[in-house]
């Protein structure tokens, strides 16, 4: 079969996902790649022409033209008069050695992009054939298919063609792991504050600097560059899995970071010139047409990484953050200074008066435009008026930051604890601006990136070399049929759960192992809701079941208090979730309903009221879905009459999520409409779960000392790790390092459920169940500090290798089956 044993499944699945996310066919991607090549040639050629082939003295009328044929006639300068002859232009280019050097480098870079273009076209043609011949999805109907439908067909194809030879069946989590292998590592490192992207500057205070250039260098160092930690796209180098030579590896990594930083310094002028030219050609026309566009906001690169779930695809993240864009913009607009508003109104008045006079004079006599600097003055006045208007708030705007922040939380799912109750403070607004920054700030950071990136690599990243080596060793697991993946991406509540996020008594994770901000728990819920056919491991199933029980219990409280939503509130809210009237959605109704009673209730009473109403909204999903399914005509088969009946019970049995993986109808439009409606069900369900889990976390935090801050300190330094290593070799007990952001260890509840999970437990990832008991040494690993390691002969992190049952293909040695 042509699809048997695809060597690089990571790249193959990534291209399938990219093709589905772009919702276009092979022709569109081909044309897009060609225009990117032409765009690069245009920028280089046009810049060279402007530098060497234009006589600016004639263009600016500083030098008179010599018209000897008709000396008495008035001289009229045309645009070709300012162009130099070809021989003069060529001579000026040849005389400029710096320009020739830049052109040679640009030519080499363009040839590299051309080779890459040819390779990508061949790969995309393979994906085009795979969609048509294997998945039976014509490219014309691809936009009407959801990713879950495409993914279900890939899982079925594995049974027929064995595209992965190391295991018989693929699961949804296997596919996500291959697509997001490196991105899950990046999300985990940002979550554990390992990357140096937060700084405290003398005048600017706490700032975040994370640009595309810096992100590119991080990935170059860690994942795919020469001498990186990975030997290929799916396997970490063997020496980084052993703890014996960690100091040597850290020194080697530090040296490599130094050389890459020096290379960035040497290439800084070229990269800076390219960044300036590209920004000028890209944003000048937009600034002229819409001067207020730079005052608009966008989700920062750091915000996208901080707010991203483990195992969340790019199009899923983009859809979720896009839904939170409007409430986020409204929240930031609540903090416009009254003094700045007064100044902006008066400046706009004065500038508008002058502009009105110039426009009136121009209408009376167009020769006014021929006066020097009149056109420039008109343009600058128009830009200034537009900028001033951006500082004048809407007179109908209502100041309700707490409600807006809760609506934002329903979409972005992550938020520091101290923001709740402090939404009206400028400190909260400034911290949120790090996630939701001005477009102008984004452009400025990208322009400064070539200068600042080398400094961050050499000064800030090098001291973290030992911590980085320890991170990849301690948080890498090898999964059969997938390869080395980040252990956080397994969403294992037992290994990486946080006691403050409903994982108390269900997790064995030390402070070093815990994911911050409820990342493990929220990622697990998001993946279970998005992929209802996925069968989670036993401990994850127990966590989801516990959460469902809490929902039913708290919704019973709401029923007793007669605080339930109307019977059809969910269906109505889905229609208005993305409407202009944001408070009319289900999420906003839950928020506004509980806040309306806040005048008569204490803070604790409001929290319990919030919890009960969100729980009642979650419980309303089950009867609503059962009522909607018969009338909607959902069937087990797909559009082409293929596919199997979805599982009757899924990870989230309280929701009708199973129907989201199928769609039917007499036409492609009906199938797209049904997929869209069910996608909104999933999005709303996850939003309510995020609100509910944050309320539970808030109640838990009120019972314990404050232990989470927005700005995290470093948990350990490489020098301290070396001292702790000596202490560990002497046999001494090494304490776990603690910081202001990490919670203090709480007493483990000797619950019966914990004993059940620890004894006779079968771990299942990717649909493969390991027979027997997995032997662990949790007590030993929990004592490891950030830089700690287990000596040879001690208990290892991974269980013993388990061979795959009756597989004819020989697996590589030392495969730890997960």
């Amino acid at each position: 079969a042509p699809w048997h044993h695809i060597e690089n499944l990571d790249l193959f699945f990534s291209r399938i996902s990219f093709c589905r996310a772009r919702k276009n066919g092979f022709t569109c991607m081909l044309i897009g790649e060609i225009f990117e090549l032409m765009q690069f040639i245009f920028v280089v050629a046009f810049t060279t022409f402007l530098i060497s082939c234009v006589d600016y003295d004639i263009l600016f009328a500083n030098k008179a033209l010599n018209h000897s044929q008709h000396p008495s006639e008035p001289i009229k300068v045309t645009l070709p008069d300012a162009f130099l002859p070809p021989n003069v232009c060529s001579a000026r280019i040849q005389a400029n050695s710096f320009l020739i050097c830049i052109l040679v480098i640009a030519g080499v870079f363009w040839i590299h992009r051309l080779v890459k273009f040819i390779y990508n076209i061949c790969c995309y043609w393979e994906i085009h054939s795979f969609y048509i011949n294997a998945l039976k999805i014509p490219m014309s109907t691809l936009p009407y298919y959801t990713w879950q439908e495409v993914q279900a067909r890939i899982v079925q194809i594995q049974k027929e063609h064995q595209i992965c030879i190391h295991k018989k069946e693929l699961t949804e989590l296997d596919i996500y792991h291959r697509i997001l292998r490196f991105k899950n590592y990046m999300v985990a490192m940002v979550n554990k504050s390992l990357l140096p992207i937060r700084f405290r500057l003398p005048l600017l205070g706490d700032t975040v600097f994370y640009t595309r250039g810096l992100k590119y260098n991080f990935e170059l160092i860690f994942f795919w560059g020469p001498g990186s930690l990975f030997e290929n796209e799916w396997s970490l180098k063997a020496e980084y899995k052993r703890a014996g030579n960690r100091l040597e590896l850290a020194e080697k990594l530090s040296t490599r970071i130094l050389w890459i930083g020096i290379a960035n310094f040497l290439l800084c002028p070229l990269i800076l010139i390219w960044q300036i030219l590209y920004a000028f050609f890209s944003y000048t026309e937009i600034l002229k047409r819409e001067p207020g566009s730079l005052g608009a906001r966008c989700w920062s690169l750091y915000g996208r990484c901080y707010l991203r779930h483990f195992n969340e695809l790019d199009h899923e993240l983009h859809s979720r953050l896009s839904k939170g864009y409007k409430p986020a913009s409204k929240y930031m607009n609540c903090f416009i200074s009254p003094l700045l508003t007064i100044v902006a109104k008066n400046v706009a008045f004065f500038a508008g008066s002058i502009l009105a006079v110039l426009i009136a004079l121009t209408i009376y006599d167009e020769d006014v435009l021929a006066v020097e600097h009149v056109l420039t003055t008109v343009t600058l006045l128009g830009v200034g008026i537009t900028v001033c208007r951006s500082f004048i708030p809407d007179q109908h705007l209502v100041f309700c930051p707490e409600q807006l922040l809760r609506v934002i939380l329903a979409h972005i799912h992550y938020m520091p604890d101290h923001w709740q109750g402090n939404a009206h403070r400028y400190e909260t607004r400034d911290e949120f601006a790090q996630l939701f920054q001005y477009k102008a700030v984004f452009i400025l950071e990208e322009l400064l990136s070539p200068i600042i990136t080398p400094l961050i690599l050499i000064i800030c990243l090098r001291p973290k070399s030992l911590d980085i080596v320890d991170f990849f060793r301690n948080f890498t697991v090898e999964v059969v049929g997938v390869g080395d993946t980040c252990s956080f991406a397994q969403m294992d509540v037992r290994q990486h759960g946080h006691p403050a996020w409903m994982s108390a008594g269900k997790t064995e994770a030390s402070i070093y192992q815990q994911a911050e901000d409820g990342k493990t728990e929220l990622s697990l819920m998001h993946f279970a809701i998005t992929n209802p056919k996925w069968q989670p491991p036993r401990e994850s199933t127990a966590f989801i079941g516990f959460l469902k029980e809490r929902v039913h219990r708290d919704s019973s409280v709401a029923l007793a208090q007669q605080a339930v939503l109307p019977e059809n509130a969910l269906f109505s809210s889905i229609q208005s979730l993305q409407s202009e009237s944001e408070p009319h959605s289900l999420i906003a109704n839950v928020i506004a309903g509980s806040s309306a009673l806040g005048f008569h209730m204490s803070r604790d009473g409001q929290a319990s009221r919030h919890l009960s109403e969100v729980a009642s909204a979650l419980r309303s999903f089950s009867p609503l879905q059962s009522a909607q399914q018969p009338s909607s005509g959902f069937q087990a088969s797909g559009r082409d009459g293929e596919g199997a009946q979805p599982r009757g019970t899924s990870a989230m049995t309280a929701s009708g999520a199973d129907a989201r993986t199928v769609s039917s109808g007499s036409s492609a439009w009906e199938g797209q409409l049904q997929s869209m409606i069910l996608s909104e069900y999933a999005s709303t369900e996850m939003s309510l779960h995020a609100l509910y889990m944050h309320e539970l976390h808030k109640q838990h935090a009120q019972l314990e000392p404050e232990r989470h801050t927005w700005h995290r300190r470093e948990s350990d330094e490489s020098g301290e790790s070396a001292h702790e290593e000596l202490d560990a070799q002497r046999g001494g007990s090494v304490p776990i390092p603690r910081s202001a952001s990490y919670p203090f260890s709480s007493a483990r509840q000797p619950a019966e459920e914990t004993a059940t999970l620890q004894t006779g437990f079968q771990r299942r990832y990717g649909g493969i169940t390991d027979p027997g008991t997995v032997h662990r040494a949790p007590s030993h690993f929990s004592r490891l500090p950030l830089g700690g390691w287990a000596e040879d002969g001690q208990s290892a992190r991974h269980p013993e290798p388990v061979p795959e049952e009756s597989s004819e293909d020989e697996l590589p040695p030392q495969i730890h089956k997960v």
Side-chain angles (χ1 to χ4, degrees):
W3 316 114
H4 177 73
H5 182 30
I6 297 176
E7 182 178 359
N8 192 342
L9 277 176
D10 289 31
L11 191 59
F12 186 76
F13 287 155
S14 298
R15 287 197 171 103
I16 291 177
S17 174
F18 176 76
C19 186
R20 162 61 190 81
R22 292 284 295 269
K23 293 185 178 181
N24 47 36
F26 174 78
T27 304
C28 294
M29 288 187 287
L30 175 64
I31 298 300
E33 294 276 355
I34 293 176
F35 272 110
E36 286 184 5
L37 290 174
M38 295 175 58
Q39 188 181 76
F40 181 83
I41 294 178
F42 172 78
V43 171
V44 175
F46 189 54
T47 305
T48 304
F49 175 80
L50 293 177
I51 293 175
S52 303
C53 301
V54 177
D55 191 344
Y56 289 98
D57 289 333
I58 295 179
L59 189 65
F60 296 148
N62 295 328
K63 183 172 66 175
L65 285 176
N66 185 15
H67 290 283
S68 57
Q69 297 179 356
H70 305 281
S72 60
E73 294 181 0
I75 298 175
K76 184 176 181 180
V77 180
T78 61
L79 193 60
D81 294 334
F83 297 159
L84 295 176
N87 57 343
V88 178
C89 179
S90 176
R92 294 183 63 176
I93 293 176
Q94 295 176 5
N96 193 338
S97 57
F98 178 74
L99 180 60
I100 293 178
C101 180
I102 292 179
L103 291 177
V104 170
I105 296 175
V108 173
F109 181 73
W110 187 84
I111 293 175
H112 167 73
R113 292 191 62 175
L114 178 63
V115 174
K116 187 177 179 181
F117 161 75
I118 297 174
Y119 172 74
N120 287 337
I121 290 303
C122 296
C123 294
Y124 284 132
W125 180 256
E126 181 184 12
I127 299 301
H128 176 268
S129 302
F130 182 78
Y131 266 107
I132 295 177
N133 301 322
L135 300 183
K136 308 299 181 183
I137 300 178
M139 301 306 292
S140 59
T141 60
L142 179 60
Y144 307 116
Y145 283 80
T146 64
W147 166 250
Q148 280 67 33
E149 292 170 329
V150 174
Q151 185 175 241
R153 299 199 178 197
I154 295 175
V155 173
Q156 184 65 28
I157 287 297
Q158 165 66 16
K159 302 176 182 178
E160 302 173 2
H161 297 282
Q162 285 293 306
I163 57 179
C164 176
I165 63 173
H166 292 296
K167 58 190 310 184
K168 295 181 179 180
E169 295 184 1
L170 284 177
T171 66
E172 293 82 358
L173 190 60
D174 293 338
I175 298 175
Y176 273 76
H177 278 168
R178 285 191 172 274
I179 298 174
L180 302 168
R181 188 188 307 273
F182 296 151
K183 291 182 180 179
N184 282 328
Y185 275 108
M186 294 296 293
V187 172
M189 285 190 283
V190 170
N191 181 259
K192 299 298 289 184
S193 300
L194 187 60
L195 298 179
I197 54 180
R198 302 192 64 90
F199 308 95
R200 183 180 292 273
L201 301 180
L203 298 178
L204 300 178
D206 295 321
T207 58
V208 171
F209 187 84
Y210 190 47
T211 62
R212 289 180 292 188
L214 184 60
K215 177 176 177 287
Y216 177 86
N217 279 273
F218 285 156
E219 295 175 349
L220 177 70
I221 293 170
F222 299 146
F223 304 124
W224 55 267
S228 63
L229 280 65
F230 280 74
E231 60 182 353
N232 49 48
E233 293 193 10
W234 57 86
S235 179
L236 185 70
K237 291 181 179 178
E239 56 265 27
Y240 287 96
K241 299 180 183 180
R242 297 189 296 266
N245 56 346
R246 57 191 289 270
L247 296 179
E248 298 175 5
L249 293 174
E251 185 64 26
K252 180 180 177 181
L253 179 62
S254 176
T255 304
R256 184 166 176 270
I257 293 173
L258 175 62
W259 283 111
I260 291 180
I262 294 175
N264 275 268
F265 265 125
L266 297 178
L267 296 175
C268 176
L270 299 178
I271 300 175
L272 183 61
I273 291 174
W274 169 256
Q275 293 277 57
I276 294 174
L277 291 176
Y278 188 81
F280 176 78
F281 292 138
S282 300
Y283 298 109
T284 302
E285 191 274 333
I286 298 177
L287 182 62
K288 177 182 178 298
R289 177 166 40 89
E290 299 177 6
S293 61
L294 295 182
R297 291 185 176 269
C298 62
W299 295 104
S300 66
L301 191 62
Y302 168 74
R304 289 179 175 273
C305 194
Y306 172 79
L307 299 175
R308 188 172 197 150
H309 294 296
F310 293 122
N311 303 309
E312 184 176 20
L313 296 175
D314 292 340
H315 71 272
E316 296 172 348
L317 175 67
H318 177 74
S319 176
R320 182 163 59 87
L321 295 184
S322 297
K323 294 174 182 177
Y325 182 86
K326 287 185 178 180
S329 299
K330 292 179 182 179
Y331 174 75
M332 298 302 291
N333 291 336
C334 291
F335 292 90
I336 296 179
S337 171
L339 178 61
L340 186 61
T341 301
I342 295 175
V343 173
K345 286 182 178 179
N346 286 273
V347 171
F349 171 77
F350 296 137
S353 301
I354 300 174
L355 181 62
V357 172
L358 291 177
I359 292 176
L361 292 175
T362 303
I363 294 174
Y364 178 74
D365 189 352
E366 63 180 7
D367 292 335
V368 175
L369 294 177
V371 180
E372 190 176 14
H373 301 313
V374 168
L375 189 60
T376 303
T377 303
V378 171
T379 302
L380 292 179
L381 287 174
V383 172
I385 293 172
T386 305
V387 172
C388 290
R389 286 177 180 174
S390 64
F391 293 102
I392 301 175
D394 184 6
Q395 60 180 345
H396 303 294
L397 183 66
V398 179
F399 185 76
C400 52
E402 289 293 343
Q403 286 81 358
L404 285 173
L405 200 61
R406 284 180 58 82
V407 174
I408 295 171
L409 174 61
H411 295 297
I412 67 176
H413 301 169
Y414 294 100
M415 188 173 293
D417 296 342
H418 64 274
W419 284 10
Q420 299 188 24
N422 295 306
H424 62 283
R425 299 177 63 88
Y426 275 89
E427 292 82 358
T428 304
R429 182 258 184 200
D430 294 338
E431 292 175 0
F432 184 69
Q434 296 173 357
L435 307 178
F436 195 61
Q437 62 182 179
Y438 281 114
K439 185 70 173 179
V441 175
F442 169 79
I443 297 173
L444 180 62
E445 288 181 350
E446 292 296 332
L447 293 178
L448 296 177
S449 179
I451 303 173
I452 300 178
T453 294
L455 300 176
I456 295 178
L457 295 178
I458 296 175
I459 299 175
C460 302
L461 186 63
R462 286 186 64 209
K464 292 178 174 288
S465 298
L466 185 60
D467 294 341
I468 293 171
V469 171
D470 291 334
F471 177 87
F472 278 92
R473 185 187 68 255
N474 292 331
F475 299 121
T476 296
V477 294
E478 191 165 7
V479 183
V480 172
V482 178
D484 292 331
T485 62
C486 181
S487 61
F488 286 99
Q490 301 289 347
M491 301 175 294
D492 189 348
V493 177
R494 184 183 180 186
Q495 277 196 338
H496 299 297
H498 201 296
W501 289 87
M502 299 179 62
S503 296
K506 302 177 183 60
T507 179
E508 300 172 0
S510 64
I511 297 174
Y512 176 50
Q513 296 172 275
Q514 294 169 357
E516 302 300 323
D517 305 318
K519 182 73 76 172
T520 301
E521 292 79 6
L522 286 168
S523 298
L524 174 61
M525 295 305 304
H526 177 267
F527 193 82
I529 293 173
T530 307
N531 300 273
K533 288 187 176 182
W534 175 62
Q535 294 298 313
R538 182 174 176 180
E539 62 271 24
S540 300
T541 304
F543 173 81
I544 296 174
F546 173 71
L547 176 62
K548 187 169 59 175
E549 291 176 2
R550 287 294 303 264
V551 168
H552 280 269
R553 184 168 69 247
D554 291 330
S555 62
S556 299
V557 175
L559 286 170
Q561 297 176 352
Q562 297 181 354
V564 293
L565 296 175
E567 185 177 353
N568 59 348
L570 179 63
F571 183 78
S572 301
S573 67
I574 290 175
Q575 308 298 328
S576 61
L577 189 61
Q578 295 301 319
S579 63
E580 292 294 332
S581 55
E582 184 71 32
H584 293 293
S585 66
L586 170 66
I587 300 169
N589 279 334
V590 172
I591 296 168
S594 56
S595 61
L597 302 173
F599 297 101
H600 309 288
M601 303 175 64
S602 62
R603 183 176 295 271
D604 295 338
Q606 292 181 41
S608 61
R609 186 77 176 186
H610 279 151
L611 200 64
S612 300
E613 292 189 341
V614 176
S616 64
L618 280 171
R619 191 173 182 178
S620 68
F621 268 75
S622 180
L624 177 65
Q625 182 67 22
S626 61
Q628 292 291 330
Q629 277 187 358
S631 59
S632 300
F634 292 128
Q635 301 174 0
S637 60
R639 288 185 184 82
D640 299 329
E642 300 176 358
Q645 173 72 24
R647 303 179 186 270
T649 57
S650 66
M652 296 303 300
T653 53
S655 67
D658 289 335
R660 284 193 299 270
T661 60
V662 294
S663 60
S664 62
S666 57
S667 64
W669 168 248
E670 292 182 6
Q672 184 189 27
L673 180 61
Q674 293 173 359
S675 299
M676 180 181 64
I677 293 176
L678 295 177
S679 176
E680 291 298 333
Y681 272 105
S683 176
T684 306
E685 183 181 0
M686 183 58 212
S687 297
L688 292 173
H689 272 98
L691 291 173
Y692 181 76
M693 294 176 70
H694 273 273
E695 288 296 336
L696 290 176
H697 172 69
K698 183 178 179 181
Q699 290 186 2
H700 185 276
Q702 290 175 353
L703 303 177
E704 297 186 4
E706 183 179 352
R707 57 190 187 177
H708 178 83
T709 56
W710 173 249
H711 308 288
R712 298 193 178 106
R713 295 203 307 262
E714 308 303 330
S715 299
D716 193 15
E717 299 294 339
S718 57
E720 297 175 357
S721 300
H723 293 297
E724 292 166 359
E725 175 191 356
L726 294 177
D727 295 336
Q729 291 178 351
R730 294 169 185 167
S733 177
V734 182
I736 299 175
R738 295 174 180 174
S739 68
S741 64
Y742 291 164
F744 297 97
S745 57
S746 57
R748 303 289 183 188
Q749 299 178 1
E752 201 172 34
E753 183 180 2
T754 307
T756 305
L757 292 176
Q758 293 177 353
T759 307
F761 185 73
Q762 295 180 344
R763 298 191 62 204
R764 292 184 299 176
Y765 289 118
I768 300 298
T769 304
D770 288 348
T773 303
V774 177
H775 301 284
R776 296 178 176 273
S779 60
H780 167 76
F781 187 80
S782 62
R783 291 194 300 267
L784 293 180
L786 183 62
W789 53 280
E791 297 181 1
D792 295 337
Q794 293 181 352
S795 300
R797 279 190 311 112
H798 301 294
E800 292 297 324
V802 179
E804 187 177 9
E805 51 181 72
S806 62
S807 176
E808 298 179 359
D809 300 294
E810 203 173 19
L811 296 179
Q814 300 299 324
I815 290 290
H816 299 289
K817 187 176 181 182
V818 180

